[in-house]
Amino acid sequence: MQEARVIPLRSPEQRRRSNRTAGPGRNGAARPAVAPTPLRPAAQPAGGVQQRLADAIGFLRKRLTGDYAVDEFGFDEQLTENVILPPLRLIYEKYFRVEAIGTGNLPSEGGALIVSNHSGTVPLDSVMTGIAVHENTSPNRYLRMLGADLVFQVPVLGALARKTGQTLACNADAERLLTAGELVGVWPEGFKGIGKPFSDRYKLQRFGRGGFVSAALRTGVPIIPVSVVGAEEIYPKIGDLKPLARLLGFPYFPVTPTFPLLGPLGAIPLPSKWYIEFGEPIRTDRHDPADADDPMIVFNLSDQVRETIQQTLYRLLAQRPGIFRG
């Protein structure tokens, strides 16, 4: 059996993928004023079952013979496209009923830094944002997420994160990906954002030291602010078992209305209605790359991104018809 090939990181210009055609969107009664991007149709074309079967056989053959490639970060595009994305797409479309807004701000090629709010106790918001990017770019692009050390220390999860294109949240890796023309996702609030109590929902936490801005300035890529509404309600955090969190090495151990009271059933997220809005890109190519070392410029840009996301969250919250409706 041959081993999987390891290939160098490629730019989108060197890697063209097949397009998916999006179908008509859902017709809801009330929703945010900006028109959401329609989702793909559920109906399958004639011969769809046979085609899926043929694709599955072809996928298995390639896995067994080692006829697939991974890039220098461990990203396995074939595994991600054929195994990981399909179930996540169902959650995106059917369970959270995500509506992506402003997807025209996502570039079809070239690097960009996607910066989003972080919430939900469990970071499903980053996963759904990645699906929104993939489903609403042409050709379909992957969001290369920057994750905390803890993600890669957890057995199975760490390996899976690498396989799906994630890497450590450090400037060196971010700049390499951006220079190669990738879309890179960062959540500057970190654990402070996803672990905040439900009473602080949709209130952005501190954005750290602005390392993401430095990476964008050095590479000259645009920063795209992203606002996610709906994730705060999937696991309403009403308590924190800190002694248990320290024992397990976690930043927090959440208590929600259903967990741990209902055991494994309490781990099922509530089916809130989600909106993900991609804001207008903030250009950095007008700056000199040396500005990445200027604390004031970095702070001002970081504050601009944070304020844009916060104001968009307030607007989306005011316009949504309800937590579960839509």
Side-chain angles (χ1 to χ4, degrees):
M1 184 183 299
Q2 300 177 354
E3 294 184 356
R5 304 190 311 278
V6 178
I7 60 174
L9 191 68
R10 299 167 292 170
S11 67
E13 292 80 358
Q14 298 169 304
R15 184 177 63 225
R16 315 308 295 176
R17 307 183 183 90
S18 60
N19 243 341
R20 289 191 176 86
T21 303
R26 298 178 177 83
N27 294 321
R31 59 180 60 181
V34 184
T37 299
L39 300 176
R40 63 177 60 197
Q44 296 294 328
V49 174
Q50 293 89 337
Q51 184 60 50
R52 289 199 301 273
L53 181 60
D55 291 344
I57 293 173
F59 169 75
L60 290 174
R61 179 186 60 78
K62 290 181 179 180
R63 303 308 292 189
L64 291 172
T65 60
D67 185 20
Y68 61 94
V70 296
D71 72 13
E72 59 189 283
F73 289 91
F75 175 44
D76 187 334
E77 182 178 340
Q78 186 190 82
L79 180 71
T80 301
E81 186 69 39
N82 291 278
V83 177
I84 308 300
L85 284 182
L88 293 177
R89 192 178 290 122
L90 284 175
I91 297 173
Y92 175 95
E93 294 182 353
K94 305 300 183 183
Y95 195 77
F96 293 132
R97 296 149 292 143
V98 180
E99 293 192 10
I101 304 166
T103 54
N105 292 318
L106 293 169
S108 59
E109 59 183 28
L113 190 63
I114 309 293
V115 183
S116 178
N117 60 306
H118 214 10
S119 62
T121 306
V122 175
L124 290 178
D125 56 349
S126 58
V127 178
M128 294 299 106
T129 301
I131 300 294
V133 168
H134 183 268
E135 300 299 283
N136 294 286
T137 48
S138 177
N140 301 118
R141 305 189 67 184
Y142 296 93
L143 183 61
R144 307 298 294 270
M145 307 179 198
L146 303 182
D149 294 358
L150 179 62
V151 173
F152 302 96
Q153 294 169 359
V154 178
V156 181
L157 178 61
L160 186 62
R162 288 288 185 188
K163 289 288 186 181
T164 54
Q166 299 184 48
T167 189
L168 285 172
C170 65
N171 273 28
D173 282 358
E175 290 171 22
R176 286 168 63 199
L177 286 164
L178 291 170
T179 301
E182 298 286 347
L183 296 179
V184 177
V186 63
W187 290 261
E189 293 176 279
F191 290 119
K192 299 188 301 294
I194 57 174
K196 64 179 177 289
F198 189 65
S199 58
D200 290 337
R201 59 194 179 279
Y202 298 112
K203 297 176 183 178
L204 292 186
Q205 306 299 297
R206 194 171 66 89
F207 263 27
R209 300 177 182 177
F212 69 94
V213 171
S214 299
L217 287 169
R218 288 195 178 93
T219 54
V221 302
I223 299 173
I224 301 177
V226 179
S227 306
V228 181
V229 164
E232 293 276 21
E233 289 86 11
I234 61 173
Y235 294 112
K237 182 171 175 258
I238 57 176
D240 185 359
L241 301 179
K242 293 183 179 179
L244 185 56
R246 286 194 294 269
L247 179 65
L248 297 174
F250 294 162
Y252 55 87
F253 192 91
V255 175
T256 75
T258 60
F259 182 84
L261 180 63
L262 299 183
L265 288 177
I268 299 175
L270 298 178
S272 56
K273 167 71 176 178
W274 286 37
Y275 299 94
I276 299 179
E277 180 164 334
F278 297 89
E280 293 187 8
I282 298 172
R283 296 182 60 176
T284 64
D285 56 352
R286 296 170 178 170
H287 291 269
D288 190 285
D291 289 342
D293 299 316
D294 187 321
M296 286 305 300
I297 292 177
V298 170
F299 174 80
N300 288 337
L301 273 174
S302 177
D303 191 57
Q304 180 184 352
V305 174
R306 186 181 184 279
E307 186 63 20
T308 299
I309 295 173
Q310 184 67 82
Q311 293 305 316
T312 304
L313 289 174
Y314 288 150
R315 173 171 55 79
L316 290 173
L317 287 169
Q319 293 173 343
R320 70 172 177 173
I323 294 175
F324 302 104
R325 291 190 299 149

